[in-house]
Amino acid sequence: MKAARCEVYGGPENIVIRDIPDPVVKPGHVVVDVAAAAINFPDLLFIADKYQMSIPVPFTPGNEFSGRIAEVGEGVSGFAVGDAVYGSVPQGAMAEKALVAVEALTLVPDGLSMVEAAAFRVTYLTGYLSLVTAGNVRPGQWVVVLGAAGGVGTATVDIATRLGARVIAAASSDDRLAVAKELGAEAGVNYATENLKDRIKEITGGGADLVIDPVGDRWAEPALRAITWGGTFVTLGYAGGEIPRIPLNLVLLKNVTVRGLELRTWIARLPEATAAAKAGLAELIAGGLRPRVSETHPLDDVAVALQRVADRVPTGKVVITVTEGARNA
Ligand SMILES: NC(=O)c1ccc[n+]([C@@H]2O[C@H](COP(=O)([O-])OP(=O)(O)OC[C@H]3O[C@@H](n4cnc5c(N)ncnc54)[C@H](OP(=O)(O)O)[C@@H]3O)[C@@H](O)[C@H]2O)c1
């Protein structure tokens, strides 16, 4: 099969396309003919060997995919050959076939295309769990979403709006803020040109109830300083580069709750919360929610697609179309 390969750690330009052996099905797993695979920011960290855990080279990048089941392993129930599914793998989604553990599979719901389904699992589960389980969001509350035009950001803005929260989007340009406003954000702060803390306080009139932060770096602290007494700050990642060091007195003085959320371990350790999130997301899909796919690229252009994510160009998710026609399937 054809697969994207990371053979040497480094930037997107190092990713090559190779012919490698097809995966062999094993108990508790299925082999999926991949239709589409979505990019997440951590893909850039994995190929550069900068993620918290190292993947030995050579490997096929990619955590999330959609496709059709080609083979079913021993002991698998609830899925059959031909089913349209989406899901996640530790690595290996950017290939024509993927070996997937049955727990990581979901049937594609009515109304989602293969491209949308590929873009759904990681960012939308992260957004939902951070808002509902970690953030305990309530209708009418002010929610600040940093990196609001990115993959996690657009998902979180969309979900928060649909749950009745009042969303302040924060991003690095007015064009990117416009995207978040299309998804329902009531206000925007351009953190490249405006004072993030002052603007959040001004807009809310007393501080935000909840901050969702996938960016970190120099934006985490001003956002935390703009939280109201008793509010919550959820840290998701550090796309900005630096892991911020926050003075603890800021947490004490306003009785702020700081929560961390790491999707893989939450799914493994909090099955009930994960099931509730999936059910909540299914309701939102039935109500019209669709992943925001900003652009698609063929498998041969994985390096180009990864570079665009590194350059902060996309607004929403970038999807690799592996089979012809995945875009409309
Ligand atoms: N905790 C979890 O389980 C979990 C799950 C998924 C993702 N994440 C994390 O969430 C973050 C976002 O992931 P994503 O897939 O949504 O990525 P993405 O689509 O690339 O979005 C990242 C956003 O961060 C902003 N940003 C600020 N400084 C940046 C920089 N130096 N380089 C790149 N982007 C920068 C960009 O927006 P502006 O240009 O507007 O600033 C961009 O929209 C990552 O840190 C990722 O590791 C965590």
Side-chain angles (χ1 to χ4, degrees), residues 6-323:
C6 174
E7 296 175 344
V8 180
Y9 295 124
E13 69 282 1
N14 287 350
I15 302 300
V16 290
I17 304 297
R18 298 277 188 234
D19 267 317
I20 62 168
D22 288 0
V24 178
V25 76
K26 58 181 190 181
H29 289 65
V30 302
V31 170
V32 171
D33 282 329
V34 176
I39 294 180
N40 290 288
F41 190 84
D43 294 323
L44 293 170
L45 303 177
F46 282 121
I47 63 169
D49 199 21
K50 288 186 178 160
Y51 199 74
Q52 282 96 326
M53 63 190 176
S54 204
I55 313 270
V57 287
F59 69 92
T60 298
N63 291 140
E64 52 179 353
F65 66 87
S66 63
R68 287 196 181 272
I69 294 180
E71 286 175 80
V72 175
E74 226 178 86
V76 169
S77 59
F79 293 97
V81 170
D83 281 350
V85 289
Y86 70 96
S88 64
V89 280
Q91 293 295 329
M94 294 178 190
E96 288 176 326
K97 288 177 186 285
L99 179 67
V100 189
V102 68
E103 315 80 70
L105 280 179
T106 306
L107 291 171
V108 174
D110 286 345
L112 283 197
S113 70
M114 282 295 192
V115 163
E116 289 168 335
F120 193 62
R121 183 177 163 102
V122 173
T123 43
Y124 284 78
L125 263 183
T126 302
Y128 194 97
L129 286 167
S130 61
L131 287 162
V132 175
T133 313
N136 198 22
V137 72
R138 294 281 170 265
Q141 285 188 326
W142 282 109
V143 176
V144 175
V145 180
L146 304 185
V152 169
T154 49
T156 307
V157 170
D158 197 353
I159 295 166
T161 304
R162 287 170 190 271
L163 296 177
R166 305 180 72 181
V167 176
I168 301 175
S172 64
S173 75
D174 292 346
D175 288 352
R176 298 176 73 71
L177 290 174
V179 169
K181 286 186 183 162
E182 272 169 37
L183 292 168
E186 191 171 320
V189 182
N190 180 337
Y191 50 46
T193 59
E194 296 182 286
N195 181 305
L196 184 60
K197 181 189 89 177
D198 292 350
R199 283 291 292 132
I200 294 170
K201 286 197 159 178
E202 222 172 83
I203 294 164
T204 57
D209 299 288
L210 175 62
V211 171
I212 307 294
D213 178 16
V215 182
D217 204 280
R218 61 190 177 280
W219 294 286
E221 185 173 328
L224 177 66
R225 285 179 183 272
I227 288 184
T228 190
W229 196 94
T232 302
F233 182 98
V234 182
T235 176
L236 292 176
Y238 313 103
E242 288 297 317
I243 300 175
R245 290 163 180 267
I246 302 286
L248 268 184
N249 63 320
L250 299 179
V251 174
L252 178 149
L253 288 172
K254 285 197 284 181
N255 192 31
V256 170
T257 300
V258 178
R259 301 284 311 258
L261 186 161
E262 203 279 316
L263 187 63
R264 289 167 203 247
T265 44
W266 272 50
I267 289 174
R269 289 169 177 260
L270 302 176
E272 283 174 16
T274 306
K278 285 184 177 173
L281 284 169
E283 266 179 42
L284 294 180
I285 290 175
L289 176 141
R290 296 289 177 271
R292 182 183 164 91
V293 176
S294 141
E295 50 194 84
T296 62
H297 298 266
L299 184 59
D300 286 339
D301 290 345
V302 164
V304 174
L306 284 166
Q307 190 59 54
R308 286 179 63 79
V309 175
D311 291 341
R312 295 160 80 170
V313 182
T315 50
K317 294 283 286 187
V318 177
V319 175
I320 305 299
T321 47
V322 179
T323 33

